[in-house]
Each structure stands twice: as C-alpha cells, then as structure tokens.
Amino acid sequence: MAANGPARERRETRRVDGFGEAPAYVGVVERRPRQPPVPVVLAPGAVELAGPLFGTRDVGPFDADLTRQHPGEPLGERITVSGRVLDGRGRPVRGQLVELWQANAAGRYAHRLDDRRAPLDPNFTGTGRCLTDDSGRYRFTTIRPGAYPWASHPHAWRPAHLHFSLFGTAFTQRLVTQMYFPNDPLLPYDAIRNALPDPDARRRLVAVYDPDLNEPELSLGYHWDIVLDGPAATWTAPASVPAQGGR
Amino acid sequence: MPLAPTPSQTIGPYFAMALPFPGGADLAPAGHPDAVTLHGYVLDGPGAPVPDALLEFWQAAPDGSPAGAAAGPRRDGDAFTGFARVSTGEDGHYALRTLLPGGAPYLALCLFARGLPHHLFTRVYVRPPGDDPLLAALPAERRATLLAAHDAARPRSYRFDVRLQGDEHHAETVFLHFGGAP
Ligand SMILES: [Fe+2]
C-alpha cells in the first residue's frame, strides 16, 4: 500500500560507513524527538524502580510452543530457542513475562498489514509467551522464520529474526528487541541491525547454535541470553549525578 | 564488571498480533466508583496521528504502594494491577481507566511505535506535583508537556497528548533517561 511504499521507507534509512551499500535504519523521521532525553536519577522507592508482576495464569499451556497452537502442524524447520534473562549484574530475572512474535517459514506475518506475495500457514500464528524460571531461563519451541523483503533499498531483505519483548524487575528495564540466527548471509545488509553503531552490540543480538538444546529428531537448538539495561531497585547512583536532576 | 546490555531494536509494524491483550486498558477494577479515564493522542512532528503506537503505563496504587496484582494478559479485572498496555487507534487516540496514584503523583509511561528505533520513557503527572525535582528543573513550556490536562467540568477525565517531535509552535513531550543506554 502507498503509505508503506519504498519512497517513505527510503527516508527511514541513512548510509553508514563501513557497510558498503547497506544503510542503517533511523526510523520515521517525523516521529523522532529532536531533544535529547532528560536524565533522571531515581531515588530509592521511585515508581520506575518497580514493575508489573506476572503470574502463571498469564501463560497458557501452548503459549510457549508455537507449533502446537493449531490442529495441524506448521510448515518449516523446528527450532528450540532458550536462554537466560539477566540484569546488568548477572542476576537472573525470575518469573517475568517474555513475549515473542515472528513471520512464518515463508517470511510472512499473520497480520493484516502484511500482504506480500508469500503464503500464510493456517497452522501457524507466530506469537508466543512464557515466564522465566528461577534461573531466569525462558524456552520457546517454534519454526525458523523466513527472510522477507523490506522496501528500504533494493537489496533489503530482513534476515530471519524473532521479535522479543521483555520485562525486568524495574519498569526502567523494559526491552523490545530482535534475535537473529548465526551465519545468516543477510545480516551485514540489514538496516535494522545496522542501526546499532557498535559491532559488539550487533553481535549480541545473534543467537548461538547449541546442539544441547536440540530435541532429538525434532528441532535444532539456539541459545540466546538477554541482559536488561537500566537501573534496577538496587542500582546506586554515581555520586557525581544530582538526584533527579533534569536539564 | 557489568554485563553488556542487549540492545533495543524497533518494535516494527506487526506487534499488534502479539502484545495487546483484552482488558489491557483497565487498571481500575470493573465498576470501581473512583475510576478515572486517562486519554489522549500520540502525534508526530507535523501533527499527524500515530496509529501504530503501543503505550505501557505503570503507577502506584491509590495508597501509594507499588501495585501488586498479576498484571498480565489473563488478568481477571477484579484487582488493581498498576500496569496498562494500550495501542493507539487509526486516529492516534488511546484511553485507559485507572485509579489516581497515591505517593508519587504520576504514571510512568513507556511508548513504543513503528519507526522508533528505541522506546521512549516519560511521565504523566495527574495530581499537583508539589516540589517534584524533575518538574522543577524544566523550563515552564517543557514542564507543561508532562502535566495531564484536567477540566473541572469533567472531573473523571484526564487528557495527556504525546508529541513525539516539537516545532516552533508545539512543545515536544519531555522524554526521560534513567541511566541505561539512551
Ligand atoms: Fe519482523
């Protein structure tokens, strides 16, 4: 549709040095704030240092297995994706909600705005949820999503990826991100991942193939740990920053 | 030595298939007599509505305590959860039902949208803020962007618009940085 056409998407990217023809995503220009965010150091007990709690009733029995949400089996390569959710000090984030959404094996989302020429799979929706366990571990069984074209530039195919949403113990730790697969030839060309200027940060979004996570004769295993940023309740402010100072 | 954080990536256009859930806009228990409506528009720089934004609110309970009831997608609607998740409609509008927070006079807001590489944090002040240090440090025209409008003729309604980008005629909403990566 016109509103999602190539001209507009092209405006959402800029070229970056060191990536040849691969641009980096800068977002929708009209939606980007012009002012830098105002730094706030939170006093103990601040609202943002707590966060919502989730419970086992928030997750249904098939929510973490995206291959069992329909009467039939979805097409595609079965994968198991697991890892730990940690805070910046390496402590597990326990009992927190992890949400996942993705394209099907043909690279199409079960969403009304995705009308590209690729088949929907009646046995695959592509959404999942789970709670982390006492060691911060999450685990999903799903299918490997397909790559899909994205109109930002002539070679723009999104590499296979899973969209993840995560909560920490503090509202400040909220994270929405994307996981990628190792050795994907599309990775160096991906404008979305290239939006991160730091190559180490880009690498941290790529899972590791882990045969120990394979389910025999069923699925290939990928390991991906997630570290949440932002102050948690026990975070202490550097002495040089004025409490709640704003500019 | 702290672990390097997992970086953020844009929420993209398809989050609506996974993240919104029934009752996500109801923080107040069903039928609660003190429930108020908080609503408004999310607008871009030229003033166009943003129809694909996701707003998450987190606030203290009316007694000032951090809220505690299970806040997730299968909430029962009987308890105050402190957490809301709402998406904007085609007109950029959102609305939620809540109870005014005790203690800190604001709701924390985390906003995601297609086209934002990273989410944005801000605060919605719904009561007179007293000597709030954040507000005190802001110039008046910027401070006003964090105050929900309250019309005495509609005592149960609060209005808070988010302007993602300002220009010479419109103040940009103040967004906040808590000490993680900006
Ligand atoms: Fe995607």
Side-chain angles (χ1 to χ4, degrees):
Chain A
M1 51 187 216
N4 280 338
R8 201 213 57 202
E9 299 287 358
R10 205 167 287 126
R11 285 189 289 119
E12 298 176 20
T13 61
R14 64 179 156 78
R15 283 169 192 272
V16 283
D17 294 334
F19 289 95
E21 289 301 298
Y25 183 70
V26 294
V28 176
V29 172
E30 297 84 355
R31 295 183 176 188
R32 282 177 73 87
R34 292 199 168 105
Q35 313 254 12
V38 172
V40 176
V41 173
L42 296 167
V47 171
E48 290 94 344
L49 290 178
L53 299 174
F54 300 96
T56 50
R57 59 172 288 167
D58 285 319
V59 174
F62 302 113
D63 283 0
D65 187 342
L66 287 74
T67 68
R68 294 178 63 199
Q69 296 173 352
H70 295 273
E73 300 226 28
L75 294 168
E77 176 184 300
R78 296 290 184 282
I79 58 171
T80 301
V81 180
S82 183
R84 296 173 75 202
V85 183
L86 305 169
D87 71 9
R89 295 166 59 181
R91 298 173 299 191
V93 174
R94 300 186 171 100
Q96 270 300 355
L97 184 66
V98 182
E99 294 163 287
L100 167 78
W101 68 105
Q102 65 170 98
N104 68 19
R108 183 162 169 195
Y109 287 89
H111 185 289
R112 65 186 168 83
L113 289 182
D114 188 354
D115 55 0
R116 82 179 191 90
R117 208 182 68 194
L120 287 171
D121 184 341
N123 292 312
F124 191 73
T125 302
T127 65
R129 291 185 190 119
C130 71
L131 293 178
T132 55
D133 69 12
D134 274 351
S135 59
R137 195 168 303 279
Y138 70 90
R139 183 185 180 95
F140 289 105
T141 300
T142 182
I143 54 101
R144 182 182 172 117
Y148 60 85
W150 184 63
S152 64
H153 67 115
H155 307 297
W157 281 70
R158 293 299 326 277
H161 61 277
L162 306 176
H163 293 266
F164 270 80
S165 162
L166 300 124
F167 290 85
T169 54
F171 197 60
T172 57
Q173 295 174 299
R174 190 78 178 87
L175 177 67
V176 165
T177 188
Q178 302 181 29
M179 187 208 92
Y180 301 92
F181 292 84
N183 303 316
D184 189 325
L186 299 174
L187 281 177
Y189 302 97
D190 181 36
I192 302 285
R193 201 178 67 115
N194 287 347
L196 302 165
D198 174 12
D200 286 328
R202 290 198 290 270
R203 266 194 291 279
R204 289 198 293 277
L205 296 177
V206 182
V208 174
Y209 171 62
D210 183 353
D212 288 341
L213 288 171
N214 293 358
E215 293 177 47
E217 315 226 345
L218 184 68
S219 74
L220 294 174
Y222 289 92
H223 183 115
W224 188 51
D225 289 338
I226 299 154
V227 178
L228 301 182
D229 200 4
T234 53
W235 189 83
T236 45
S240 60
V241 183
Q244 295 239 342
R247 248 185 317 108
Chain B
M1 169 136 162
L3 297 177
T6 304
S8 173
Q9 293 266 267
T10 183
I11 197 167
Y14 303 127
F15 63 85
M17 62 192 273
L19 299 184
F21 54 82
D26 293 323
L27 292 94
H32 196 291
D34 297 332
V36 298
T37 298
L38 172 64
H39 74 106
Y41 292 85
V42 180
L43 304 169
D44 70 8
V50 175
D52 40 19
L54 184 76
L55 293 86
E56 292 182 343
F57 295 85
W58 170 246
Q59 64 164 99
D63 66 1
S65 63
R74 290 189 176 85
R75 55 181 59 189
D76 57 19
D78 293 340
F80 180 79
T81 63
F83 177 69
R85 176 184 274 174
V86 290
S87 37
T88 50
E90 288 298 316
D91 56 355
H93 190 252
Y94 74 91
L96 58 91
R97 287 176 54 259
T98 190
L99 304 176
L100 293 181
Y106 62 86
L107 289 75
L109 167 56
C110 181
L111 185 147
F112 303 86
R114 183 187 67 78
L116 289 182
H118 198 286
H119 53 267
L120 299 169
F121 285 113
T122 186
R123 288 177 176 174
V124 183
Y125 285 81
V126 288
R127 283 195 286 109
D131 56 353
D132 184 274
L134 167 64
L135 294 183
L138 294 170
E141 73 278 7
R142 298 216 74 204
R143 185 187 311 138
T145 69
L146 300 185
L147 307 178
H150 188 215
D151 179 353
R154 298 183 61 204
R156 298 251 151 252
S157 179
Y158 292 78
R159 166 86 180 259
F160 185 81
D161 292 348
V162 179
R163 189 97 190 187
L164 295 177
Q165 186 184 88
D167 58 26
E168 53 276 25
H169 304 296
H170 303 92
E172 179 175 298
T173 299
V174 169
F175 299 106
L176 306 174
H177 172 49
F178 297 118

